[in-house]
Amino acid sequence: MRSPVGTRESLATGTPRQGRVPAPRTAGYHRVVRLRLVPFLLVLGVVSAARGEEQDATWKPVALAAAERQDLRSPIVEHEVRLADGDALAIDGWSLRFTPRKHDKAAAWTAVKEGAEATQSGRVTLPGRLTLRALGTRYPLWVRVETPGGALRVSSALALALPLPRARGHLVDSDRDGVLGSDGDGYVAPQSCTVGPWRGEAWSAHGGRRFRKSSDGTWQIAEVKLPHPRKRDHGAAWCLLQWRRQQCGALPVAYDATLEAAMRKHAEYAAAYDSQTHEENPKLPLYTPEGDRAGRNSIIGWGDASALSALKMQFATLFHRTRPLQPGLTHTAIIFHKGVFMLNVFEHRGGPLKDAILVYPPHGMEKVRIRFHPQGEHPRPVPEKSSLLGTAVNVFSEPLYWISDLPAAPRLVVRAKRKKRPVEGHFHYPGKPPHPGVTASNRGNVALIPYIALNPKTEHACEVEVPMPSGKPFVYRWMFTTGGK
């Protein structure tokens, strides 16, 4: 957990990017066989189900719709290629280049076929879509400007719409090979534009679905069974957790019911002694070693009416939101017992993305809260009353958590649309706590907590640059939109 972020150099520019993630060997993982993309027909790899699911009668046929998604970004998946003037992007034997441009409104491009005299050319409005005749079809690409006067970012616009309960997710051709469903492709959860690794499982706020393509070429869909299906509140909280993780680009987690018994023992202890603590006193009658361990390994909430409302409040904080979203989390459990909410976040957290960097709110997220959790959190991130603050914007990772100081001050700027001045607030990062009462919990975050609530129903643009322990800075630009009051 203490290793630096695993990045690799872009072939075109040397820009550090997150490397591709190996597929986790856990429940819900699917092995993928690559097929070709034929003109006007989107063909995905054959997905073989794990653990005998081929005979599972719950799989049903489903038709997937072709779609184009634009302005997709990811802090985890290598979804975009950064091209400076003169750099080339190779797709299916074509070498795509952009000529030097005088402004950021449009760019001319040329594609040359390797070993042949064939050429393609055109002009693309920025940001906008260009179509390359490659991979056996008219292949769409999305092009945007990194910063005013900066390099171009090129990504695929090819996608499939995945039907979910009351929503649609999108499978996107992140590796630009024309094969949707391969290991290098990504998934975009509803109400988000952040690309995460595709593993055949997709979630919305109302449920999860698994997708595969059978040997006869038809798509099939199966419902992901919720833990404790008769407990609607528990299931709603579980859906919210999975959905928020996928909105941020992290993988879904598996449910480990064996964790619940010890968590309930700690909830009994906390309720009996009215103790808002993670630790148990061995001198008290209700102390148990397993309950003490569960308390230390969980985030805990008091005073909520349900597991769903308690989890929503965790995401409305700063320190507590990062643990449910940590990319390395693979298994967890939720309980709501005698008014005590618990979510285990430390028992299983060594997944393949454990050193990745995430941002919250993620890119493209809609209906973001405008306020911080009104009752605050412990330890308190700032000295003021939490009811006055806006929702926190933060960058977090395990490599940041394990250091006490950054080599240089990071930069995090948040601007409301059509506002010249950036959002003002408490800015803190490892080595610079917001006030003396915050010590260890300040680790792992580069965060801005606005002095006042964010503007409702407003698009906010964010940009961050963090000098990482590896020596390569994390640079990312994204946007989100707030909800109503």
Side-chain angles (χ1 to χ4, degrees), residues 10-24:
S10 164
L11 296 178
T13 65
T15 302
R17 296 288 296 163
Q18 291 288 341
R20 256 183 223 158
V21 181

Side-chain angles (χ1 to χ4, degrees), residues 28 30 59 64 160-165 167-172 186-190 196-212 219-226 238-239 241-247 250-253:
H30 302 284
W59 290 93
L64 302 186
L160 283 178
L162 307 180
L164 298 173
R168 283 184 180 271
H170 288 86
L171 172 64
V172 295
Y187 171 68
V188 181
W198 168 247
R199 293 294 179 264
E201 187 171 305
W203 287 82
S204 73
H206 303 283
R209 298 290 185 268
R210 292 193 180 99
F211 296 86
R212 72 179 184 185
W219 271 101
Q220 293 182 322
I221 184 173
E223 182 179 1
V224 181
K225 295 180 180 179
L226 300 179
W238 183 245
C239 292
L241 172 64
Q242 301 281 44
W243 180 40
R244 287 284 184 258
R245 286 182 60 84
Q246 288 199 319
Q247 282 185 312
L251 292 169
V253 293

Side-chain angles (χ1 to χ4, degrees), residues 131-178:
T131 302
L132 191 67
R133 293 188 300 275
L135 299 165
T137 186
R138 295 173 60 84
Y139 189 75
L141 295 168
W142 175 253
V143 186
R144 68 178 179 91
V145 181
E146 184 178 58
T147 56
L152 297 179
R153 292 276 187 175
V154 183
S155 62
S156 173
L158 192 66
L160 283 178
L162 307 180
L164 298 173
R166 307 185 196 178
R168 283 184 180 271
H170 288 86
L171 172 64
V172 295
D173 185 28
S174 294
D175 54 5
R176 297 169 298 280
D177 65 351

